[in-house]
Amino acid sequence: RGRIGFRKNDKTETNYDFLIMFNKDLTEKLNLTANAGGNLRHSTEIDARINGSEFKIPGRYFLSNTDADLLTASQSDLVEKRVNSLYGSASFGYDDAVYLDLTARNDWSSALAPENRSYFYSSANVSILLDQVFNLQGGAIDMLKLRGSIASVGNDTGARQIVNVFSVAGDGYLGNVQINRPNIKFSESLRPEDITTTTIGAEFRLFGNRLYGDVSYYDISTKDLIFDVPVDPGTGFSSFRENIGEISNKGVELLIGGTPIQTDNFSWDISANISRNKNKLVSLIEGQENFQFSSSNGGVVDVRAQVGEGFGDIYTTTWLRNDQGQLIVTAEGRPRATAEREKFGNYQPDYSGGITNTFRYKNFTLNTLVDFRVGGEVFSFTDSAMDATGVSERSLEFRDGGVLVEGVVDNGDGTFSPNTTTISAQDYWGSVSGIGSEYVFDQTNFRLRELSLSYQFPNKLLKDTFIQNASLSFIGRNLFFIYKKADNFDPESSYSTSNFGQGVLFYALPTSRSLGLSLNVNF
């Protein structure tokens, strides 16, 4: 007979800051810019709610008009968090050629145990303009720079995330007070996260900036990441909030571009970039060798991070075979899947990048973007389900006369007999749909991501009007695939944008193509 509820949630954040800045030429060639400061951040949150059900008089929406026995109310304690910080930075510039930047910061967080509340992180970055150091201007070299940096970042957690607090759920059995505990076990020894990044790189511009490039190598080490690690239900919890060991990411990024053609009426600009990243779960927590992101299709496939392996590995079943490599089928002649899952790829690409071309002819501009992804796998639950229900194109096979699977039957005494039983297409594809390796697809693809054609109206056409400039553009996005390995779906589809929702595809709608016109007028 209806219900009514009120809720009030108050959140506050108060910050106190101070900053001292300093800028001085120490010598004719050496300049120093420095600052030092601090911050005190205090945040609070309190939540209260009251609900009533079963209105006594219809249309009178007051709590007092609800059944008193069904009236419920709750209020949380005041949750507070304080973070105090001191920080500073210094930038040195020498002869407009060598630059050194240093930063340092220390935080004290109330969200961590007293022995772990203080954590320090810093960075150092150096850049050297070789064209200035060696006086290379005036020739083919416009700019040549080397750079290197090392930086660390610290991070804490939310308030009340280290102490296991029980909650009162109301009247329990025989009127006794009922106490609930959380599904996550907190740890009082939780340490702040630490992410350390080391980067080296180089940039160049040549021939009057007609050719340019940028290359960098990075090494990122993430330690003590605060994470809810799934554990055996026998522990009484679904997960432990712990500092997981270490994740490393190493990679290379390359950009190169230029202007091959440039005349009074026509120019062509092109740039291409490519990147490669390799990650590895170096260590987890004691007694835990893998972290599972998701498990799908009745446990046939799971996506995980395995110690010593990559982040986002896909593990699934495959065709069951004997030591001689022969397929093992059931007594009824149906293919069988392995009980154990094996690694069949990783959802992250081996390489990714794009190529941009811009053509200008008088007042017309044509821009194209082709991007690509090479490598990386995805498990398609969609294809598995379509095969199982007989609605995929390939499930048409064997409908006339069935199929005799070339395999052997396990006699149960260590020997095998040739399979002699013919099965229907329905039985065959129903069994194959449970063999996960059949549905792991390569995500390699090249596509025309964007195309635009613009026309800039000439100034002489607008000079006697109140319009300063105007342009008309046709824009198309996600137009078509130039090449892709997966036939019947967009290989970059996923059922979630979360890192934990990648690598598995569930009934994704076809990705859309968009076409549009844009008129831009400035007055």
Side-chain angles (χ1 to χ4, degrees), residues 104-160:
R105 181 180 179 117
N106 200 96
D107 288 347
W108 291 264
S109 172
S110 67
L112 299 171
E115 63 272 17
N116 294 324
R117 283 181 180 169
S118 174
Y119 51 98
F120 175 82
Y121 45 102
S122 59
S123 70
N125 179 82
V126 62
S127 299
I128 303 174
L129 294 172
L130 297 180
D131 56 293
Q132 298 285 344
V133 173
F134 297 106
N135 238 354
L136 301 177
Q137 297 93 344
I141 298 175
D142 301 298
M143 189 269 286
L144 181 60
K145 180 171 76 173
L146 294 179
R147 64 178 186 270
S149 67
I150 181 168
S152 62
V153 177
N155 187 37
D156 63 352
T157 186
R160 296 193 174 182

Side-chain angles (χ1 to χ4, degrees), residues 223-423:
K223 297 180 180 179
D224 293 333
L225 188 65
I226 299 173
F227 220 76
D228 293 341
V229 182
V231 293
D232 192 309
T235 61
F237 296 90
S238 62
S239 56
F240 288 174
R241 184 157 298 170
E242 297 277 358
N243 294 104
I244 70 169
E246 182 179 355
I247 297 175
S248 73
N249 282 273
K250 299 179 181 181
V252 176
E253 296 176 339
L254 173 65
L255 169 68
I256 189 167
T259 307
I261 301 175
Q262 187 170 15
T263 66
D264 292 339
N265 292 325
F266 180 79
S267 68
W268 169 31
D269 297 317
I270 182 172
S271 66
N273 67 83
I274 186 170
S275 64
R276 174 172 172 80
N277 180 75
K278 293 292 288 183
N279 58 35
K280 181 180 179 182
L281 179 61
V282 180
S283 61
L284 203 53
I285 63 174
E286 187 176 353
Q288 193 84 5
E289 289 299 315
N290 68 76
F291 173 76
Q292 189 178 98
F293 303 156
S294 61
S295 181
S296 312
N297 206 15
V300 169
V301 61
D302 70 81
V303 184
R304 66 175 77 162
Q306 182 84 28
V307 172
E309 300 288 343
F311 184 98
D313 287 341
I314 299 173
Y315 281 74
T316 188
T317 58
T318 187
W319 300 82
L320 182 63
R321 299 177 182 272
N322 60 18
D323 294 340
Q324 286 73 44
Q326 298 170 307
L327 286 179
I328 301 176
V329 300
T330 65
E332 295 78 20
R334 298 181 181 182
R336 296 173 59 184
T338 56
E340 299 296 324
R341 285 167 289 197
E342 302 175 19
K343 180 180 173 181
F344 279 90
N346 185 292
Y347 70 64
Q348 299 195 62
D350 297 326
Y351 300 92
S352 60
I355 302 172
T356 300
N357 283 279
T358 302
F359 302 91
R360 296 182 181 89
Y361 176 70
K362 294 185 176 179
N363 288 29
F364 290 93
T365 301
L366 175 66
N367 186 79
T368 65
L369 170 62
V370 175
D371 65 18
F372 60 87
R373 173 190 179 113
V374 178
E377 286 75 32
V378 61
F379 177 89
S380 176
F381 175 82
T382 308
D383 284 77
S384 171
M386 290 175 68
D387 281 353
T389 53
V391 294
S392 64
E393 181 179 350
R394 76 173 190 166
S395 66
L396 293 172
E397 191 176 8
F398 309 130
R399 293 200 180 185
D400 296 328
V403 57
L404 176 65
V405 178
E406 186 177 342
V408 294
V409 177
D410 189 347
N411 297 323
D413 58 0
T415 63
F416 298 88
S417 303
N419 176 41
T420 59
T421 305
T422 299
I423 57 175

Side-chain angles (χ1 to χ4, degrees), residues 46-166:
I46 189 169
D47 182 83
R49 66 184 72 192
I50 185 168
N51 301 291
S53 299
E54 304 286 340
F55 290 113
K56 299 172 184 176
I57 302 174
R60 306 294 292 172
Y61 304 124
F62 306 107
L63 285 169
S64 58
N65 186 39
T66 59
D67 190 331
D69 293 335
L70 299 177
L71 196 66
T72 60
S74 65
Q75 179 174 322
S76 69
D77 293 332
L78 180 66
V79 178
E80 296 183 89
K81 179 181 176 181
R82 297 177 188 268
V83 179
N84 299 332
S85 306
L86 291 174
Y87 52 82
S89 68
S91 298
F92 298 89
Y94 180 76
D95 200 21
D96 295 328
V98 180
Y99 299 90
L100 174 64
D101 298 312
L102 304 171
T103 70
R105 181 180 179 117
N106 200 96
D107 288 347
W108 291 264
S109 172
S110 67
L112 299 171
E115 63 272 17
N116 294 324
R117 283 181 180 169
S118 174
Y119 51 98
F120 175 82
Y121 45 102
S122 59
S123 70
N125 179 82
V126 62
S127 299
I128 303 174
L129 294 172
L130 297 180
D131 56 293
Q132 298 285 344
V133 173
F134 297 106
N135 238 354
L136 301 177
Q137 297 93 344
I141 298 175
D142 301 298
M143 189 269 286
L144 181 60
K145 180 171 76 173
L146 294 179
R147 64 178 186 270
S149 67
I150 181 168
S152 62
V153 177
N155 187 37
D156 63 352
T157 186
R160 296 193 174 182
Q161 302 295 301
I162 61 174
V163 178
N164 294 284
V165 180
F166 293 90

Side-chain angles (χ1 to χ4, degrees), residues 389-466:
T389 53
V391 294
S392 64
E393 181 179 350
R394 76 173 190 166
S395 66
L396 293 172
E397 191 176 8
F398 309 130
R399 293 200 180 185
D400 296 328
V403 57
L404 176 65
V405 178
E406 186 177 342
V408 294
V409 177
D410 189 347
N411 297 323
D413 58 0
T415 63
F416 298 88
S417 303
N419 176 41
T420 59
T421 305
T422 299
I423 57 175
S424 66
Q426 180 177 352
D427 288 340
Y428 177 78
W429 291 110
S431 298
V432 170
S433 64
I435 301 175
S437 59
E438 280 293 293
Y439 303 99
V440 177
F441 296 93
D442 193 319
Q443 291 182 284
T444 296
N445 70 90
F446 293 74
R447 75 178 79 200
L448 182 58
R449 179 69 71 179
E450 184 173 308
L451 181 146
S452 65
L453 178 62
S454 302
Y455 176 73
Q456 185 75 35
F457 291 93
N459 290 331
K460 64 180 181 181
L461 191 66
L462 306 172
K463 69 177 183 178
D464 295 327
T465 70
F466 57 88

